[in-house]
Amino acid sequence: MIAALIACGMAMAGLYNEKPGASFASDYDLTLKFLDKDIADANGAKCLDGTNPGYYYRVGSNGDENKWRIHLRGGAWCFTDETCAQRTKSTVGTSKFLTPNISGAEAPFGFMNTSEPHFGNWSLAYVMYCDGSSWTSNRTDSTTTGNITVWHRGRPNLYSFMQDIERVAGVMSKSTEVVLTGTSAGGMAEYLNANYLRTLLPPAAKTVLLPDAGFFLFSNTTLNYNYQQLQEGWNIWNSKAALDPDCIADHPHHVDCMIPKVQLPYVKMPVFIMQSLYDTAQNHCNTNSPGCNASIAQYRNWLQTNISNSVTPQTAVFATACRQHEESCKDADWDGIHVGGVTPSSAFYDFYHNQDYTRRFDVDWPNNPTCVNIVHGGC
């Protein structure tokens, strides 16, 4: 069972591997930037394999240069020394494979698209993920598995990214509005790191959270990513210092603060949860298998209950019945899925501009005809 879960996690991470030499449509051009050496050295920033982390960015236009979308990319986790060593050979564990462009299939469309009608002119930082801990790890020593040396530097990486973007475009000193976004493990990272990131931004900057597909439950009854794995990761990541101190104080089992349903009540900003209630990264049940539909329905109800029980007054929810993973980074999802007659794009606009904290929970699968059959996610 554990071997199957590890294989599944690596397969999920594989969704994020860029194809060297692929082109990136000019409308979505982002500049690849590695951390300046002095910043990386001062903070000890490193990918799992010790390489210098990188990110992509685009400065905004038409007066929106100081309005930012800061996106943390996804790519699962590594919970053991062995799986972290495996990740050093992929784009979720090293920066060696980053190219000047991102393949068209994995370009940041949807909310991050330059043609997005409300936020398209904003600056964008598209932060690559290479630590395997949702930017929470912070070990000063390395580990060795076989002949592979592994570093766990997620939180120093995150701080270094912010310092580097500040040097490039003043994100920490000049921002007036910021949307913190993330997908999958990056969506989970936004729940965990939101308050910390807020301390790095100007006090007057309007800041909200948009985590997509990041509400992982980590229960022993889920079909993927269980509590035992999270505990194993906790044991090697040294993540405690990166987590919210109020949450840590309230929960004797500190690892619980790695779980979004536990951390969400401590988030000190408005949150727009985007989440499939039939998330295929959490429930891989084959719909052609006997008993699968019952398992899917049970999981859907359980996920909705956990979201409902953890929201704050400043939380909006857009929870779909689409059997997929990640819904904010493809135009057909962001502008096409409807829940209660509303798209994610319009719901987020009302959340951001009109403080609309409506919690929308979709019909049961497969009864939403606006769910589209495309390759989802990848951002």
Side-chain angles (χ1 to χ4, degrees), residues 4 8 52 64 75 82 86 96-97 122 147 185-186 220 235 258 260 363:
C8 180
N52 187 21
D64 287 339
E82 291 75 18
Q86 291 173 24
K96 290 189 296 187
F97 304 127
W122 285 31
N147 62 349
N220 287 330
N235 291 339
M258 291 285 298
V363 297

Side-chain angles (χ1 to χ4, degrees), residues 272-292:
F272 184 93
I273 297 175
M274 190 160 186
Q275 179 70 47
S276 168
L277 296 170
Y278 298 87
D279 192 339
T280 53
Q282 298 195 55
N283 189 326
H284 288 276
C285 188
N286 187 328
T287 53
N288 294 321
S289 301
C292 184

Side-chain angles (χ1 to χ4, degrees), residues 193-249:
N193 293 289
N195 292 340
Y196 171 70
L197 288 170
R198 185 65 190 85
T199 66
L200 303 180
L201 297 168
K206 179 180 179 179
T207 308
V208 303
L209 198 66
L210 170 55
D212 174 15
F215 205 91
F216 287 87
L217 296 178
F218 288 106
S219 168
N220 287 330
T221 58
T222 58
L223 298 183
N224 199 17
Y225 304 119
N226 60 46
Y227 190 82
Q228 178 184 344
Q229 288 176 292
L230 188 63
Q231 181 68 63
E232 291 173 345
W234 175 267
N235 291 339
I236 66 171
W237 293 336
N238 190 37
S239 295
K240 179 181 175 181
L243 300 182
D244 186 87
D246 293 332
C247 184
I248 290 292

Side-chain angles (χ1 to χ4, degrees), residues 17-274:
N17 289 349
E18 286 84 24
K19 302 166 184 64
S23 61
F24 189 34
S26 60
D27 190 34
Y28 309 101
D29 275 345
L30 295 165
T31 300
L32 172 62
K33 174 77 167 63
F34 290 99
L35 297 178
D36 285 349
K37 187 176 185 303
D38 62 323
I39 291 176
D41 289 347
N43 298 318
K46 293 178 174 66
C47 292
L48 286 169
D49 70 335
T51 54
N52 187 21
Y55 65 97
Y56 295 85
Y57 77 96
R58 176 178 59 237
V59 176
S61 60
N62 298 330
D64 287 339
E65 292 81 0
N66 292 325
K67 299 178 182 179
W68 280 88
R69 294 165 290 178
I70 300 175
H71 181 80
L72 302 183
R73 201 173 191 224
W77 307 269
C78 58
F79 302 109
T80 65
D81 290 331
E82 291 75 18
T83 55
C84 289
Q86 291 173 24
R87 283 172 74 99
T88 63
K89 301 175 183 179
S90 75
T91 57
V92 287
T94 180
S95 63
K96 290 189 296 187
F97 304 127
L98 296 184
T99 65
N101 301 306
I102 302 174
S103 69
E106 295 179 0
F109 301 118
F111 176 67
M112 291 169 283
N113 199 331
T114 53
S115 64
E116 211 286 336
H118 310 299
F119 303 90
N121 290 332
W122 285 31
S123 297
L124 170 65
Y126 188 63
V127 182
M128 304 305 286
Y129 179 45
C130 66
D131 64 88
S133 69
S134 286
W135 284 275
T136 64
S137 59
N138 192 7
R139 286 184 63 161
T140 56
D141 61 326
S142 62
T143 61
T144 302
T145 300
N147 62 349
I148 300 175
T149 300
V150 176
W151 296 89
H152 298 280
R153 304 294 293 161
R155 171 51 67 85
N157 290 355
L158 188 59
Y159 180 54
S160 299
F161 282 126
M162 293 298 289
Q163 283 191 314
D164 204 273
I165 302 167
E166 164 66 16
R167 183 174 289 179
V168 169
V171 69
M172 294 170 66
S173 60
K174 299 179 182 178
S175 297
T176 58
E177 300 181 47
V178 179
V179 177
L180 300 171
T181 78
T183 44
S184 191
M188 179 169 136
E190 292 292 10
Y191 289 110
L192 305 182
N193 293 289
N195 292 340
Y196 171 70
L197 288 170
R198 185 65 190 85
T199 66
L200 303 180
L201 297 168
K206 179 180 179 179
T207 308
V208 303
L209 198 66
L210 170 55
D212 174 15
F215 205 91
F216 287 87
L217 296 178
F218 288 106
S219 168
N220 287 330
T221 58
T222 58
L223 298 183
N224 199 17
Y225 304 119
N226 60 46
Y227 190 82
Q228 178 184 344
Q229 288 176 292
L230 188 63
Q231 181 68 63
E232 291 173 345
W234 175 267
N235 291 339
I236 66 171
W237 293 336
N238 190 37
S239 295
K240 179 181 175 181
L243 300 182
D244 186 87
D246 293 332
C247 184
I248 290 292
D250 290 344
H251 294 83
H253 297 287
H254 297 155
V255 65
D256 291 352
C257 294
M258 291 285 298
I259 303 173
K261 71 175 183 179
V262 177
Q263 172 57 30
L264 177 58
Y266 298 91
V267 174
K268 298 177 176 67
M269 66 186 71
V271 182
F272 184 93
I273 297 175
M274 190 160 186

Side-chain angles (χ1 to χ4, degrees), residues 239-355:
S239 295
K240 179 181 175 181
L243 300 182
D244 186 87
D246 293 332
C247 184
I248 290 292
D250 290 344
H251 294 83
H253 297 287
H254 297 155
V255 65
D256 291 352
C257 294
M258 291 285 298
I259 303 173
K261 71 175 183 179
V262 177
Q263 172 57 30
L264 177 58
Y266 298 91
V267 174
K268 298 177 176 67
M269 66 186 71
V271 182
F272 184 93
I273 297 175
M274 190 160 186
Q275 179 70 47
S276 168
L277 296 170
Y278 298 87
D279 192 339
T280 53
Q282 298 195 55
N283 189 326
H284 288 276
C285 188
N286 187 328
T287 53
N288 294 321
S289 301
C292 184
N293 286 350
S295 171
I296 290 174
Q298 181 183 37
Y299 189 79
R300 177 244 197 269
N301 293 334
W302 188 32
L303 186 55
Q304 178 170 336
T305 297
N306 276 273
I307 292 174
S308 298
N309 289 344
S310 60
V311 296
T312 69
Q314 287 187 301
T315 303
V317 178
F318 196 95
T320 79
C322 302
R323 186 137 172 76
Q324 60 195 51
H325 182 61
E326 300 181 6
E327 297 169 315
S328 65
C329 47
K330 300 295 182 186
D331 293 346
D333 290 328
W334 183 248
D335 299 313
I337 298 174
H338 287 69
V339 175
V342 178
T343 65
S345 175
S346 60
F348 184 75
Y349 177 88
D350 285 338
F351 159 82
Y352 187 81
H353 290 287
N354 302 320
Q355 294 76 53

